[in-house]
Amino acid sequence: MKQDPGHEIDPTQRPPQMQRIGLIGYGAIGRAVHELLLIHATGTATVAGILIPPSASIEPAAQNESLVVTDRLETLLAADIDIVVECAGHSAVDAYAVDVLRAGLDLVLVSIGALADAEREQRLRHEATAAGRQMLLPSGAIGGIDWIGAARSAGLSEVLYRSRKSPLAWSGTDAEQLVDLASLTSAAIFFRGTAREAAIRFPRNANVAATVALAGLGLDATQVELIADPATRHNVHEIEADSAGGSMSARIKGMPDPGNPKTSLMTAHSVLRTILHRRTAMVI
């Protein structure tokens, strides 16, 4: 791990349009975001620093002499960071999000399910407002978020989000206490409830449920079904929504991330889009 460089980066020595990204976490999503930036953001954005736990070691997707890998947030922020991307789970949100916002930086929050805790959500909203910064919530594996958000002012009345994944994707979660994942021969609905309940009980699987809820009716009025299906090799996301302005039915079959079947391959691409849109002349 490259620790505590002896000098800070001079911001005058980089192109004015270049975004310097700080990554919190370097698991499947963090590494994928780094790799996508190398491919799609040359001259536009670069990973300048990576924050990992003290006991961890990584091999970054690319090495350069200015890349900082550290276990200290203050060292990461000293690397002339423009925006921080959190992709390390709820504990990382608690450990670092407030300090990132107080440092005057926007925060891309990948662990959106962390906002299911009402106290945490209000604290982060307060800190972002006080600092004049934004928490940016990428749509992740799901589509139709723009419609849901627009329908809030068009009489949105009902939203159901349904997640269907292979039993393997639900392993290590509360689903193991609700259904025998190993012996399933057909699809089983093992959870029905609100988006808040889903995000709290299944924090590694229900970020999309929280995203749909926050875009629309909120965490307590959005209904969720979670399904383990041995016949699927995809992460299937469905939204059914009604409003005075119309109704929507959407179904997305996403490929699971090869490094983590609990998340979708498209999640990192959504983070990439969020980063690039900050400095794009035209955004849709």
Side-chain angles (χ1 to χ4, degrees):
M1 184 194 324
K2 184 176 181 179
Q3 293 274 6
D4 302 348
H7 63 281
E8 295 187 2
I9 304 300
D10 182 356
T12 65
Q13 301 302 308
R14 59 179 167 108
Q17 76 279 10
M18 177 70 77
Q19 294 189 80
R20 291 176 60 84
I21 313 301
L23 295 177
I24 295 179
Y26 205 72
I29 295 175
R31 184 177 184 87
V33 169
H34 193 181
E35 292 171 348
L36 289 171
L37 288 167
L38 291 170
I39 297 169
H40 298 286
T42 302
T44 303
T46 185
V47 173
I50 303 169
L51 181 67
I52 59 175
S55 59
S57 63
I58 62 168
E59 186 64 36
Q63 291 277 9
N64 62 70
E65 62 181 19
S66 65
L67 176 65
V68 174
V69 180
T70 181
D71 58 13
R72 299 170 58 196
L73 181 65
E74 58 267 34
T75 302
L76 179 76
L77 300 181
D80 188 30
I81 298 297
D82 294 307
I83 184 170
V84 172
V85 179
E86 172 282 318
C87 41
H90 295 197
S91 61
V93 175
D94 286 334
Y96 305 117
V98 167
D99 288 336
V100 168
L101 294 167
R102 288 178 176 174
L105 297 174
D106 288 342
L107 174 66
V108 178
L109 195 71
V110 176
S111 302
I112 297 174
L115 301 179
D117 182 293
E119 181 180 349
R120 182 189 287 129
E121 179 193 4
Q122 290 304 312
R123 182 171 67 252
L124 293 179
R125 284 182 184 269
H126 170 78
E127 294 292 347
T129 300
R133 307 313 304 177
Q134 284 187 309
M135 287 187 295
L136 304 170
L137 311 183
S139 57
I142 193 67
I145 293 300
D146 52 347
W147 193 96
I148 293 288
R152 290 175 65 175
S153 59
L156 186 64
S157 58
E158 185 175 353
V159 179
L160 169 65
Y161 166 69
R162 185 180 296 112
S163 175
R164 182 187 303 266
K165 298 180 182 181
S166 72
L168 176 63
W170 299 109
S171 63
T173 76
D174 272 5
E176 292 181 331
Q177 312 305 316
L178 302 172
V179 65
D180 186 351
L181 296 173
S183 64
L184 281 179
T185 57
S186 60
I189 300 173
F190 60 84
F191 174 86
R192 286 190 177 98
T194 68
R196 189 182 303 278
E197 293 167 336
I200 290 173
R201 291 192 66 179
F202 304 92
R204 291 180 291 172
N205 295 74
N207 281 325
V208 175
T211 303
V212 172
L214 290 168
L217 292 175
L219 288 153
D220 296 312
T222 301
Q223 297 302 303
V224 172
E225 292 182 356
L226 303 179
I227 303 170
D229 186 352
T232 185
R233 64 186 185 92
H234 299 91
N235 292 347
V236 181
H237 308 277
E238 298 176 350
I239 300 175
E240 297 174 9
D242 285 305
S243 78
S247 61
M248 182 185 74
S249 179
R251 188 173 194 265
I252 294 175
K253 293 171 62 176
M255 293 302 298
D257 189 295
N260 180 7
K262 292 179 172 60
T263 192
S264 294
L265 191 63
M266 288 299 294
T267 299
H269 291 267
S270 177
V271 174
L272 172 71
R273 180 175 182 269
T274 300
I275 292 169
L276 297 184
H277 273 188
R278 294 182 69 245
R279 299 280 178 85
T280 302
M282 183 172 67
V283 176
I284 188 169

